[in-house]
Amino acid sequence: MNTELRYAGDIPVYYAPDQALRRFCLCIYVKAGAIYESRENNGYAHLFEHIVFRNLKKQYGDGFYTLLAQNAVDFNASTHKSVIQFTFSGLPRGIPLVCEIIALMFSALVVNTGEFNIEKSRIKAEYKEDEPHRRFSYLCGQTVWAGSTARQDELGYLTNINRASLSSLDRYRREVISRGNIFAVATGCVSRDELGMLSKALASVPLSDAPIKEKTVDVPARYLCRDCTMVIRDDVYTYLHFSFDLGDTAAYYHLTDFLYFLLFFGYDSVLQQELSEKRALIYGFDSGVERYRNIGILDFSFEVYNHRLEEAMTAVVDTLNRVKSGDFDYDTTIQKLVTDHTEILDDIEGLNWDIAYHHLLFGQTRDGEAELKTLMSLNKGEIAAFAAELFRTDRLVLGLKGNKRAIDKNRDKLKAILQKLDI
C-alpha cells in the first residue's frame, strides 16, 4: 500500500486508508524524548506526555474518559527515545470528538500545582514498577551508548521530575510543539471527508518556531571498534545480552530487516531453533533493533543455567557463523517477510507505527510495495556478506550477569569462544 502525504497547515499528515476495516487510527507524533534531552531535563518528554492528559481532564472535567468511551474512542500515549506518540483509535463515529480534543491537547497548561504533583506521583509509581535503572539491559546500554544521548532512558531521572515546575514544563511545551517537530499518520477506516476534518483540527494547533529536531545521535567513542567489550555483573542467575553495532543504518536498512526475521522472527527462526528446540538451553529470548538516522544496534538477550553458559555462547557463535557462510533458509525468510508486509495492512496501529518509523528515519513517506520489492531483491550472498560484516567482535558488546567470580576466572575461555566470530 502506498501512503499519501498531505499537510494540515505546517503539519505533515500521512494517509493510508482502508474502508474495508471497521476502525480508524490517528497518531500524532512529537519529536521529543531522551535523545534530545540533557542530563538536567531527561524525563521531560515523559512528563509532558502525562500532563497532556491531565490538562485535557482539567478542561473536560471528571467525565473525560467516560466521554471517550461513549464515542467509541481509545486515547493513549507512549514516550520513546526519539518521539512521543499520541494515539486515537476506534470507530469512525468518534472522529468529531477526536477533532475537538486535538484542538485543545497542546494548549497552554491550566492544571494547578496540586494536579501537577499528582501526575508526578503517578510517574514515580510507574518508575517504581518499571525500575529502568535496575534492568540489566539498561546497564548494558550504558556501555553500548556511552558518550551519546541515546544512553538516556525514556522515563528519565526522578530528580528531574521532582524539580520540574509548571512554568518549566510550559516552556518545554512551546519548544516541542513547533514547526517541523510534529507529524501525524491516519490509517484504517478514515474517509477523505473525515481526513479533512482531522486536518482542519491539526491545522489549528499553535506551533512555535523552535529548532527542528532530527533523529540522529552522537556516535559513541568505541562504536565499530568494541574489541569484544564485556559488561559483567554479579548475580545468582546467568543472563547474556549480545549487542552488535549496525553501522550506517540507511545503507543497511533492508539487510537488517532480513537478518532480524531470519534470526529472531517465529518459532522457525535460526536462534530459536538452535537454542530452544534443538538444545533446550532456553525457552525464548528478547531481541530488538534500535536505529537512528546515522547509527544503530541489533541486540538480543536470554537467560541460561549457570553450568550451560559456555555451551550457550558456543551455540550462538556457531549459529551466527553458519548464517555468515550462507547456511540458512532464504526462501522461508522471504515468505515470512511477504506475509508480515501483507498482514500489517490489517493492523492499523502497526501500520501507523511503520509509516511513522519511516518518516523518523528517512524524513519521507513509506511505499510498502517498493519496500517489499527491495527486500525480495536481496540475494543470499548479500545477506551472508552483511552478516559477516556485522557479527564480529569489533562490533560486539557482551553483557554477562551471573557468578562474577566464575565468569572472571573463565574470561579468557569465554573470549576465545567469541573470537571464533572473526575466523
Side-chain angles (χ1 to χ4, degrees):
M1 175 186 289
N2 296 332
T3 308
E4 297 179 28
L5 173 60
R6 297 188 174 200
Y7 280 87
D10 292 318
I11 298 177
V13 181
Y14 295 103
Y15 179 46
D18 189 341
Q19 298 302 319
L21 301 177
R22 298 182 180 182
R23 296 170 58 248
F24 76 93
C25 179
L26 172 78
C27 289
I28 302 172
Y29 297 93
V30 180
K31 294 179 185 176
I35 68 168
Y36 305 120
E37 296 171 342
S38 67
R39 173 64 179 81
E40 289 69 33
N41 76 344
N42 180 209
Y44 266 52
H46 183 228
L47 177 58
F48 177 66
E49 173 214 318
H50 275 249
I51 292 301
V52 165
F53 284 80
R54 181 65 63 174
N55 210 44
L56 285 167
K57 285 185 281 185
K58 177 78 172 191
Q59 296 173 85
Y60 277 94
D62 294 336
F64 178 57
Y65 288 116
T66 300
L67 183 63
L68 289 168
Q70 290 172 342
N71 285 270
V73 173
D74 290 323
F75 179 31
N76 55 59
S78 57
T79 299
H80 306 269
K81 282 190 179 182
S82 59
V83 72
I84 308 172
Q85 174 180 283
F86 295 95
T87 303
F88 297 92
S89 61
L91 301 183
R93 67 181 177 86
I95 288 178
L97 176 63
V98 172
C99 293
E100 184 182 300
I101 293 171
I102 289 170
L104 296 172
M105 63 188 291
F106 297 130
S107 58
L109 302 185
V110 295
V111 297
N112 60 40
T113 302
E115 293 159 337
F116 187 49
N117 288 334
I118 288 174
E119 208 58 44
K120 283 186 177 184
S121 295
R122 293 184 72 234
I123 289 176
K124 292 173 188 176
E126 182 181 359
Y127 196 98
K128 180 65 177 69
E129 291 173 11
D130 191 69
E131 295 189 297
H133 297 152
R134 293 181 180 272
R135 295 194 305 260
F136 188 56
S137 58
Y138 174 86
L139 295 174
C140 293
Q142 294 297 285
T143 297
V144 170
W145 295 111
S148 172
T149 51
R151 188 181 193 183
Q152 299 181 142
D153 189 79
E154 295 94 328
L155 293 183
Y157 294 97
L158 287 184
T159 52
N160 295 337
I161 303 301
N162 287 329
R163 282 199 304 262
S165 65
L166 276 169
S167 58
S168 66
L169 196 65
D170 207 41
R171 285 195 299 272
Y172 181 82
R173 174 190 63 83
R174 291 193 297 271
E175 175 190 331
V176 298
I177 307 304
S178 57
R179 290 176 181 81
N181 287 331
I182 298 182
F183 65 100
V185 182
T187 55
C189 190
V190 183
S191 70
R192 293 190 180 276
D193 286 344
E194 289 162 341
L195 179 66
M197 293 168 56
L198 292 166
S199 296
K200 185 176 180 180
L202 286 164
S204 72
V205 173
L207 303 176
S208 71
D209 291 311
I212 296 174
K213 301 179 188 299
E214 298 295 345
K215 194 183 180 185
T216 57
V217 295
D218 297 326
V219 180
R222 299 192 63 185
Y223 193 76
L224 300 180
C225 51
R226 302 292 190 176
D227 192 26
C228 195
T229 300
M230 298 179 74
V231 180
I232 300 174
R233 292 292 184 275
D234 194 41
D235 203 283
V236 175
Y237 302 101
T238 300
Y239 188 88
L240 292 88
H241 186 278
F242 289 81
S243 175
F244 290 94
D245 295 343
L246 284 173
D248 186 335
T249 50
Y252 300 128
Y253 182 80
H254 297 100
L255 287 165
T256 300
D257 279 358
F258 191 104
L259 267 187
Y260 187 85
F261 270 71
L262 174 66
L263 291 169
F264 309 118
F265 194 84
Y267 290 114
D268 67 326
S269 64
V270 294
L271 278 176
Q272 179 70 23
Q273 284 292 309
E274 189 63 38
L275 297 178
S276 183
E277 298 290 337
K278 294 180 181 179
R279 297 175 180 263
L281 285 161
I282 64 171
Y283 181 72
F285 50 79
D286 295 318
S287 59
V289 179
E290 186 173 344
R291 286 186 279 212
Y292 303 95
R293 285 196 178 186
N294 52 337
I295 58 175
I297 61 166
L298 178 150
D299 62 13
F300 57 96
S301 55
F302 55 86
E303 188 175 323
V304 294
Y305 285 112
N306 296 340
H307 67 281
R308 303 191 75 181
L309 169 60
E310 291 181 27
E311 182 185 357
M313 287 181 63
T314 300
V316 169
V317 169
D318 288 348
T319 302
L320 296 181
N321 280 339
R322 284 203 306 275
V323 172
K324 288 155 66 171
S325 71
D327 182 10
F328 57 85
D329 188 341
Y330 171 87
D331 293 332
T332 298
T333 305
I334 283 290
Q335 287 306 310
K336 288 196 292 185
L337 285 162
V338 171
T339 300
D340 183 70
H341 271 67
T342 303
E343 289 179 346
I344 201 171
L345 298 179
D346 294 327
D347 174 10
I348 53 175
E349 286 86 0
L351 177 60
N352 200 300
W353 175 251
D354 242 29
I355 295 168
Y357 191 73
H358 206 83
H359 171 89
L360 289 167
L361 280 179
F362 304 114
Q364 61 188 35
T365 188
R366 173 187 181 273
D367 184 337
E369 294 173 4
E371 287 283 300
L372 185 56
K373 186 176 180 180
T374 300
L375 282 165
M376 295 183 70
S377 71
L378 299 174
N379 61 56
K380 200 170 191 178
E382 290 175 300
I383 296 154
F386 175 56
E389 184 178 343
L390 175 61
F391 298 128
R392 298 180 52 84
T393 58
D394 56 4
R395 295 187 180 223
L396 171 64
V397 175
L398 176 70
L400 271 176
K401 185 171 69 170
N403 186 323
K404 190 172 185 301
R405 178 180 293 182
I407 292 171
D408 285 337
K409 183 179 178 180
N410 294 299
R411 186 188 290 248
D412 290 342
K413 185 185 294 186
L414 298 176
K415 279 210 167 186
I417 293 172
L418 295 170
Q419 284 165 353
K420 290 179 181 177
L421 289 169
D422 301 330
I423 297 174

